[in-house]
Amino acid sequence: MKCPNCGEEMADGTLYCEHCGEDIHIVPDFEPELEQNIQQIINGIMDELEEPLSEEDEDESLEDLPDMTEQTAPKKWFKWLIPISLAALVLGAAVGMCVWVYLYNSEEYQVAKAVQCVASEDYDRAIAYYNRALELDEDNIELHFSLAEVYFLKNNKIEYEYLLREITRNENATTEQLDRAYGRLIAIYRARKDYLTINELILGSHNEELISMYQNYIANPPEFSVIEGDYTSIQPLKLTAMGTGSIYYTLDGSDPDENSTLYTMPIILENGNYVVKAVFINENGIVSEIVRKEYFIDYDVIPAPEVSIASGDYNLPQYIEVLNVDSEEEVYYTTDGTDPTYSSNVYTGPIPMPLGASHYKFARIVDGVVGEVAERRYELRLNTEYTPEQAVEAVQEYALSTGRIIDSVGHFDETGAIYVYEYLYVLNINNVSDYFVITEVLRSEDGSQVRTGNFYAVDIYSCTRFRLQQETGRNYELTPLDNINE
């Protein structure tokens, strides 16, 4: 059998053309002209029945009625039998046609028949009934879901997916219906591991709640913290993206991918022109759109701090100072040769030069931008026979002799805590002499420690011991330990 709409071959008994979607009606579409012809026939019969008889016909009729034995009697009755039978037949057809028209235009009936067909696994007829129901109520989203489920049962995933996408585009769908449709579509693509389609589907919805719910399946383009344009200062550019994944970027105008530079910290845009391109790749390998921004930076360089002591070798204690420091700016420094950052030491005052070799770097940091670095290398060697270790021992011996501690470990009672004496630096005090500066530390049983506030100075040339107290600035008070009763 061929489809009357598109001409494609159809299986016998089918009610729905799978090629073009046309319904194949069980009863032909009812035509108004047919109804008019039937009505004319019925009206003609009724007029004939109601037409009054002439006197001659009436007499003939009366004469014929009693004489039922005559051979002509059946012919007389047959004259009335044929019109009555025809009228009954036409009336029955008309009633049947009316019933069919009513059922064909009843959404409730079409849905009920579709449900029956699904129960009996007659999916083709179920599809035909649901399609007719949708012709009667095309805005009924639940009918779209029901029809989609039939295609799913029939294992026609293409039509199933198509109908669900139609629901997502339907302006009459409720939030619950949209969530249901998107959820079923995502389940399809997730089973296929088709994360790219999930990404396109969710982003195309423009639904913030949906995007938030399925953010692990999408790859939004990276966001730039700095608007592209011209700047007169260094710009720390931060890149962010929603979801779990990685951001990759380039600065040479090429398109970034997973082989490009991985973004881990702000990109410092200094003097010059920049073309920054970035892409986000989420944990499922979905690649976002590439974002491209242009910048032109023209700024005055942050100058390096001015350090009082030049690099070199020294044989006397020295103070390292940063000169001309504005009260509103901060200078950071390191002692291991690395460049300063916000986590480095903050310069707060003169720094005693350490014994031996040392490597300092100083820099200003403004709005996250590290300025030029002042680098210094020192070698301090003193002309003395004594060492810092000997100075610590001298102070510890004094503490033992006075009962400050009761053993060489530093215990002072039964608690287990101890006093520890540590070398800090070498210092010229009051232009009198040079001293090793020692501090006293209280160390608890749990390993925590704190300075007690007691400081000692040991002359580097004679190993004489003093109690050290700072008065103001670089002025100190030195008290010989032999004169202190502890």
Side-chain angles (χ1 to χ4, degrees):
M1 180 176 68
K2 291 187 177 181
C3 173
N5 182 56
C6 66
E8 289 292 324
E9 288 293 335
M10 297 176 51
D12 292 340
T14 57
L15 304 176
Y16 174 78
C17 178
E18 294 187 353
H19 182 74
C20 67
E22 182 70 15
D23 291 331
I24 307 303
H25 301 151
I26 299 174
V27 180
D29 288 337
F30 185 71
E31 300 179 0
E33 184 179 352
L34 175 62
E35 180 184 12
Q36 184 179 358
N37 292 338
I38 294 175
Q39 189 63 43
Q40 288 178 352
I41 294 173
I42 294 175
N43 291 340
I45 294 173
M46 296 303 297
D47 290 344
E48 183 177 351
L49 291 175
E50 293 176 1
E51 182 179 348
L53 298 174
S54 62
E55 292 181 1
E56 182 178 351
D57 291 336
E58 184 176 357
D59 291 340
E60 185 178 354
S61 175
L62 291 174
E63 292 175 359
D64 291 340
L65 285 175
D67 192 5
M68 298 299 297
T69 59
E70 295 183 8
Q71 293 181 357
T72 58
K75 295 180 180 180
K76 294 292 184 179
W77 282 105
F78 188 71
K79 175 181 178 181
W80 304 106
L81 181 61
I82 292 175
I84 292 173
S85 299
L86 180 60
L89 180 63
V90 172
L91 183 60
V95 170
M97 182 64 71
C98 291
V99 171
W100 178 85
V101 169
Y102 170 77
L103 296 178
Y104 184 69
N105 290 284
S106 169
E107 177 187 345
E108 183 179 357
Y109 172 78
Q110 299 296 327
V111 172
K113 293 296 292 181
V115 172
Q116 290 179 3
C117 291
V118 170
S120 61
E121 299 184 359
D122 188 352
Y123 300 129
D124 289 333
R125 292 186 65 195
I127 290 171
Y129 280 120
Y130 274 130
N131 274 312
R132 176 54 190 163
L134 282 170
E135 289 178 1
L136 299 172
D137 188 4
E138 61 182 4
D139 293 330
N140 191 326
I141 306 300
E142 291 304 319
L143 287 180
H144 286 82
F145 274 112
S146 298
L147 180 58
E149 289 302 317
V150 177
Y151 277 111
F152 181 82
L153 293 172
K154 194 181 176 183
N155 202 31
N156 188 337
K157 301 298 178 59
I158 295 177
E159 288 295 332
Y160 176 68
E161 178 183 336
Y162 171 79
L163 286 168
L164 291 176
R165 280 188 173 268
E166 286 293 302
I167 293 173
T168 63
R169 291 189 284 264
N170 195 312
E171 296 180 354
N172 297 318
T174 65
T175 300
E176 185 276 331
Q177 290 170 333
L178 288 174
D179 289 345
R180 204 190 326 162
Y182 277 113
R184 294 182 183 182
L185 283 170
I186 290 171
I188 295 173
Y189 304 134
R190 185 168 50 203
R192 301 177 190 166
K193 296 185 177 180
D194 186 0
Y195 301 114
L196 180 60
T197 301
I198 296 177
N199 177 67
E200 295 172 350
L201 176 71
I202 297 174
L203 291 180
S205 71
H206 304 294
N207 185 319
E208 294 300 328
E209 292 184 4
L210 190 70
I211 291 173
S212 177
M213 184 183 303
Y214 294 102
Q215 61 178 335
N216 290 335
Y217 291 99
I218 63 177
N220 276 314
E223 295 183 1
F224 285 50
S225 64
V226 179
I227 300 173
E228 63 180 340
D230 298 346
Y231 293 88
T232 57
S233 62
I234 294 177
Q235 297 298 315
L237 174 62
K238 297 179 182 179
L239 305 179
T240 56
M242 183 175 66
T244 305
S246 300
I247 299 174
Y248 299 89
Y249 71 93
T250 61
L251 300 177
D252 59 2
S254 62
D255 288 343
D257 56 25
E258 64 275 9
N259 297 316
S260 302
T261 304
L262 174 66
Y263 175 83
T264 57
M265 63 181 62
I267 305 167
I268 305 302
L269 304 179
E270 301 178 327
N271 275 335
N273 289 300
Y274 294 88
V275 176
V276 184
K277 287 187 175 182
V279 68
F280 175 67
I281 303 178
N282 75 2
E283 61 184 352
N284 293 313
I286 301 174
V287 182
S288 75
E289 295 179 2
I290 295 175
V291 181
R292 181 183 186 276
K293 302 286 186 182
E294 289 190 28
Y295 302 93
F296 175 71
I297 312 297
D298 184 13
Y299 73 99
D300 294 330
V301 177
I302 301 174
E306 183 180 355
V307 182
S308 62
I309 304 295
S311 297
D313 297 337
Y314 295 86
N315 55 19
L316 292 175
Q318 303 289 332
Y319 275 110
I320 306 170
E321 296 185 72
V322 176
L323 307 176
N324 303 321
V325 179
D326 192 305
S327 60
E328 296 182 356
E329 67 180 353
E330 290 185 328
V331 173
Y332 296 80
Y333 71 95
T334 60
T335 59
D336 58 2
T338 59
D339 288 339
T341 65
Y342 276 127
S343 60
S344 302
N345 300 308
V346 178
Y347 177 80
T348 57
I351 305 168
M353 183 182 295
L355 281 173
S358 57
H359 187 184
Y360 283 84
K361 282 188 176 182
F362 298 86
R364 294 180 173 88
I365 301 180
V366 180
D367 296 331
V369 178
V370 180
E372 294 187 335
V373 176
E375 185 174 7
R376 297 290 186 272
R377 294 176 182 270
Y378 303 109
E379 182 78 25
L380 176 60
R381 296 187 181 277
L382 301 176
N383 185 19
T384 178
E385 297 178 356
Y386 298 101
T387 65
E389 291 76 17
Q390 289 174 318
V392 169
E393 290 176 4
V395 172
Q396 189 175 38
E397 288 173 1
Y398 174 77
L400 275 168
S401 66
T402 59
R404 178 73 175 170
I405 57 177
I406 58 177
D407 57 32
S408 60
V409 176
H411 292 100
F412 55 87
D413 59 18
E414 302 300 326
T415 63
I418 60 175
Y419 286 127
V420 178
Y421 298 93
E422 296 179 350
Y423 164 76
L424 293 179
Y425 43 76
V426 63
L427 195 66
N428 181 277
I429 298 177
N430 302 336
N431 293 320
V432 173
S433 186
D434 302 320
Y435 299 86
F436 295 116
V437 177
I438 312 297
T439 185
E440 183 183 69
V441 175
L442 173 62
R443 183 178 296 167
S444 302
E445 285 187 282
D446 60 5
S448 61
Q449 58 184 37
V450 61
R451 289 181 180 177
T452 64
N454 292 327
F455 292 89
Y456 304 90
V458 178
D459 192 301
I460 69 173
Y461 305 110
S462 64
C463 211
T464 305
R465 300 166 295 191
F466 297 86
R467 168 67 63 82
L468 179 65
Q469 289 180 302
Q470 187 173 9
E471 294 179 341
T472 57
R474 297 185 188 178
N475 294 321
Y476 297 88
E477 180 181 349
L478 289 169
T479 305
L481 290 181
D482 294 337
N483 297 335
I484 301 177
N485 294 319
E486 296 193 25

